[in-house]
Structure formats: structure tokens, C-alpha cells
Amino acid sequence: MDDLDVNDAAVKEAVQQACVDVGLPLAYRSVVSQMLRTPSAEWPACCGEGCFPCQQSLADAALRTLELLGRRPPSEG
């Protein structure tokens, strides 16, 4: 898969929409964007401790971004 340009206007718009869609505050857009640069197998998992935002919420936003862009998560390599 080719690299996703997280600075592209369409990607930024998709990240923002994804955050809204999953109920993640927009302040976490940069975290979601960073996740898009990392293989999904390396994304942190929920620890079950009730953190906010939960890592699963961040992953959900990253996956929703990719869905909005018609792409698949980056693989392990």
C-alpha cells in the first residue's frame, strides 16, 4: 500500500469526520493522523483501565478515516 499523506486536505477532512463519527474530541485528530502512519498491528490496544480517550476509540477513528477514504489499514510491512 502506498503511504497516506496525512497532510493532504482530503485526509485531514476524513480524520475530522471520523472523529465526529466515533465521538472522539477533535483535539485528538493529530493522534489519529499519527496512527495512520503506523501499521495497524502496532496500534496500542485497550488496556481495560477506563482511559480517556481509550486506545480503541483512537483506533476506531483511524479505521473510520481509512473507510471514508476507501483504503485499508497499513499492514505490518
Side-chain angles (χ1 to χ4, degrees):
M1 178 180 134
D2 55 321
D3 290 334
L4 187 66
D5 181 2
V6 297
N7 294 311
D8 181 84
V11 175
K12 287 182 176 185
E13 184 177 321
V15 168
Q16 181 166 324
Q17 183 60 50
C19 287
V20 170
D21 289 353
V22 303
L24 187 67
L26 295 179
Y28 294 99
R29 289 176 291 183
S30 63
V31 178
V32 174
S33 292
Q34 185 60 41
M35 289 178 77
L36 296 171
R37 296 177 174 171
T38 308
S40 58
E42 294 178 21
W43 294 353
C46 173
C47 66
E49 296 293 322
C51 304
F52 184 83
C54 177
Q55 289 296 331
Q56 186 59 54
S57 296
L58 295 167
D60 289 346
L63 289 171
R64 177 66 179 138
T65 298
L66 294 170
E67 182 180 278
L68 290 168
L69 294 169
R71 300 185 63 144
R72 294 186 179 273
S75 64
E76 289 186 60

